[in-house]
Amino acid sequence: MQDGDLEQVVAIERLVQSHPWSAIQFQDALASYQCTVYAQAHQVLGFCILQPVLDEANLLLMAIHPSEQGKGLGYALLDHSIAQLKNNPIQIFLEVRESNKAAIALYEKSGFHQIDLRKNYYPNADGSKEHAIIMVKTCTDDFAALFQ
């Protein structure tokens, strides 16, 4: 992800999130986190933001344009983004809305599993709150390397 991608990234974020990040938050992320886009012919179709923290990482945000969802782009983007992490994390954590069944399925396909539930975490448009499922992926190759 580069500065020139931010307009398209923010547009996708606004399409898929009820409480989207601002352009300033994405600008700050570029300076601090690993930010990746999936693009074809200069058209951003999705993005992924990972926060490396020592021997772990947090998946902060990921989205695919609604017209491109269900085509395997999310899986490819997530897999590529994780492979590009420079800190070789042992574990990667994320939070996802309990109602986001498509994302949960994608994360499970990518090797994540639920470890906890954060109750009443995400705000909904109607003022109610939704639970967040906390998931983790153990990067077995990196974990095994510690014991070699």
Side-chain angles (χ1 to χ4, degrees), residues 53-66:
V53 181
L54 301 173
D55 62 351
E56 298 176 351
N58 295 307
L59 174 58
L60 299 179
L61 201 58
M62 184 174 146
I64 300 295
H65 191 284

Side-chain angles (χ1 to χ4, degrees):
M1 186 184 300
Q2 300 175 359
D3 286 332
D5 299 321
L6 291 183
E7 185 176 330
Q8 293 180 71
V9 167
V10 169
I12 292 170
E13 173 75 351
R14 288 182 179 152
L15 287 171
V16 302
Q17 296 291 342
S18 61
H19 293 77
W21 276 23
S22 69
I24 292 170
Q25 287 173 297
F26 280 105
Q27 187 68 50
D28 291 345
L30 274 176
S32 302
Y33 307 134
Q34 178 184 301
C35 304
T36 307
V37 295
Y38 187 103
Q40 291 178 347
H42 305 290
Q43 180 67 36
V44 175
L45 303 178
F47 61 87
C48 181
I49 300 176
L50 287 159
Q51 176 191 34
V53 181
L54 301 173
D55 62 351
E56 298 176 351
N58 295 307
L59 174 58
L60 299 179
L61 201 58
M62 184 174 146
I64 300 295
H65 191 284
S67 68
E68 301 300 318
Q69 291 177 4
K71 299 178 181 178
L73 301 183
Y75 180 79
L77 174 61
L78 182 58
D79 187 54
H80 174 77
S81 297
I82 290 171
Q84 297 304 308
L85 280 166
K86 292 178 175 58
N87 67 329
N88 296 316
I90 295 171
Q91 293 182 311
I92 303 169
F93 296 90
L94 64 83
E95 296 162 347
V96 60
R97 285 180 179 268
E98 187 176 48
S99 66
N100 194 344
K101 302 301 182 196
I104 293 167
L106 170 104
Y107 298 139
E108 288 174 342
K109 179 180 176 184
S110 296
F112 287 84
H113 65 275
Q114 181 175 343
I115 58 168
D116 208 349
L117 185 72
R118 186 166 286 144
K119 294 185 177 184
N120 302 314
Y121 181 72
Y122 286 111
N124 290 317
D126 66 3
S128 65
K129 300 276 186 161
E130 182 175 352
H131 301 331
I133 294 175
I134 301 172
M135 302 181 84
V136 67
K137 174 179 180 163
T138 300
C139 302
T140 54
D141 291 341
D142 297 326
F143 186 75
L146 292 174
F147 299 99
Q148 293 179 354

